[in-house]
Amino acid sequence: MTRMIAGKRYYGKGVTIDEAEAREAKKLIKQIVGSGGISYVGDFLPILKLVDYNGVKKRVVELKEKIDAFIQGLVDEHRRKKGDPELADSMISHLLRLQESQPEDYSDFMIKGLVFVLLVAGTDTSSLALESIMANLLNNPEKLKKAQDEIDSVIGHDRLVEESDVSNLPYLQCIIFETLRLNTIVPLLVPHTSSADCNIGGYFVPRDTIVMVNAWAIHRDPELWEDPLSFNPKRFEGSGGEKQHKLILPFGLGRRTCPGATLAQRVMGWTLGLLIQCFDWKRVSKEEIDMREGRGTTMPKVVPLELMCKVRPLMEKLVPKD
């Protein structure tokens, strides 16, 4: 995401990395996501806003200032290095070029807002989803083997999986969909407001009411899913899987669906395909991986995932040993 947005890489051997900037970026994203799901009692007892109960407002303001300073730094760097080939094709560079011709439509405020949304929505969510996918596969090694066999059959051992290959790996996609169902990374979708009086589940909902959709509960509803607590990618296979696809909504539905859904699925599919193709994976112990979910706007694992891996013998010629 940072390569697309700012033309930067914060990870990777042989890449010039500002370690302090990388640490700050990762820290800010974790703070933003961790603060997104908090409840502020001042919203329910307004008198507490006079004293900033628990210092929530102070922390939010401090976080906002850090975020603004970080993203403004990225924008200013692009201005200073205008013409730098490494930054020329980044999203910020494109927006700054538009700012020159349409300054009223592409202010720094608007550019920073776009960068903020993409960094928050497109980084932590994807990494947590991949963590849950790998945890599920290591708890179900026969499914990992099936995915590996599919990649070997379709791609072979003479080249690495490319982004364009993801659409030709249906079982790999089923694994991703099943994880997004069982381990919904954003359990409560972005709040919506009813545009008119309506009835939802037998309840009258007046116009302009904030509506929260509990995707996590929908994805585990036994009336909608057979054996809903099991990890079963096969439920999304074939013609029967089309019906199941319509029942999951990790990215929302309709006009307000997440505009990054296609990008997220391709990035996760490509990354997962490479991990499975290039390495053999094992749990660090004989016990199943702990799948308990933590708190926050997104749901991290309570116990961070630890795995062991080694390069597959057939892939040694394509994967650097160091």
Side-chain angles (χ1 to χ4, degrees):
M1 291 301 294
T2 53
R3 285 293 301 278
M4 289 186 286
I5 294 169
K8 286 177 170 286
R9 287 183 65 176
Y10 291 139
Y11 302 89
K13 190 172 182 179
V15 178
T16 301
I17 300 173
D18 186 330
E19 293 185 4
E21 184 179 318
R23 286 196 300 270
E24 181 66 13
K26 290 182 282 186
K27 182 180 177 182
L28 280 175
I29 291 171
K30 290 293 183 184
Q31 287 180 319
I32 294 165
V33 174
S35 301
I38 62 174
S39 295
Y40 180 43
V41 293
D43 290 334
F44 304 96
L45 296 173
I47 193 172
L48 295 178
K49 293 182 180 181
L50 300 175
V51 294
D52 189 18
Y53 183 74
N54 278 344
V56 172
K57 292 173 68 176
K58 179 182 177 181
R59 293 199 301 273
V60 169
V61 170
E62 290 176 348
L63 180 58
K64 177 259 181 188
E65 291 173 350
K66 289 180 182 178
I67 296 166
D68 187 75
F70 174 73
I71 300 179
Q72 186 66 57
L74 294 176
V75 174
D76 292 341
E77 181 182 15
H78 277 67
R79 286 200 176 100
R80 291 195 307 271
K81 297 182 178 180
K82 184 178 179 180
D84 187 326
E86 290 189 4
L87 306 179
D89 204 31
S90 71
M91 186 188 85
I92 293 177
S93 288
H94 284 289
L95 291 173
L96 287 176
R97 285 194 286 272
L98 288 169
Q99 187 183 70
E100 293 176 0
S101 58
Q102 305 173 57
E104 67 283 356
D105 296 324
Y106 294 93
S107 64
D108 276 13
F109 180 80
M110 189 278 288
I111 293 173
K112 288 187 291 185
L114 287 173
V115 172
F116 171 76
V117 169
L118 290 174
L119 279 177
V120 175
T123 53
D124 191 64
T125 49
S126 297
S127 64
L128 290 178
L130 284 166
E131 185 179 25
S132 292
I133 291 169
M134 292 301 295
N136 280 319
L137 289 176
L138 269 293
N139 280 342
N140 299 269
E142 74 285 355
K143 296 177 175 61
L144 174 59
K145 181 63 167 59
K146 184 174 179 179
Q148 205 167 60
D149 290 343
E150 178 185 59
I151 293 174
D152 289 346
S153 174
V154 175
I155 308 300
H157 307 110
D158 296 323
R159 67 178 181 89
L160 296 176
V161 172
E162 298 286 348
E163 182 181 342
S164 57
D165 294 320
V166 174
S167 58
N168 298 320
L169 300 169
Y171 190 70
L172 187 78
Q173 295 180 64
C174 290
I175 289 171
I176 294 173
F177 283 121
E178 176 66 348
T179 299
L180 293 176
R181 180 198 69 82
L182 184 61
N183 306 105
T184 309
I185 305 303
V186 183
L188 293 177
L189 302 184
V190 175
H192 290 62
T193 301
S194 54
S195 57
D197 294 349
C198 58
N199 286 282
I200 302 177
Y203 293 91
F204 173 70
V205 179
R207 178 180 178 179
D208 295 329
T209 299
I210 294 177
V211 178
M212 304 292 290
V213 178
N214 190 336
W216 186 92
I218 293 171
H219 293 166
R220 291 169 174 243
D221 188 342
E223 294 186 7
L224 299 175
W225 306 92
E226 181 180 347
D227 195 10
L229 300 184
S230 69
F231 179 71
N232 181 18
K234 286 186 64 177
R235 70 174 86 239
F236 290 101
E237 286 185 327
S239 57
E242 295 179 5
K243 178 182 178 182
Q244 304 292 71
H245 279 285
K246 296 177 181 179
L247 297 178
I248 64 168
L249 52 157
F251 300 102
L253 290 173
R255 291 183 299 170
R256 304 301 181 193
T257 189
C258 174
T262 302
L263 174 63
Q265 289 170 310
R266 292 182 73 87
V267 169
M268 286 192 293
W270 187 18
T271 306
L272 179 63
L274 287 168
L275 291 174
I276 293 173
Q277 180 191 31
C278 296
F279 302 97
D280 285 322
W281 298 87
K282 286 187 178 181
R283 301 194 294 254
V284 295
S285 70
K286 293 183 179 180
E287 296 180 2
E288 283 202 349
I289 296 168
D290 190 338
M291 298 299 295
R292 288 179 298 161
E293 299 157 333
R295 296 185 298 175
T297 308
T298 55
M299 288 204 303
K301 287 169 55 59
V302 170
V303 180
L305 181 62
E306 291 186 30
L307 298 174
M308 297 186 294
C309 72
K310 65 178 180 179
V311 178
R312 298 176 67 200
L314 292 171
M315 300 303 297
E316 287 181 349
K317 60 185 177 182
L318 296 178
V319 180
K321 293 182 180 180
D322 56 356

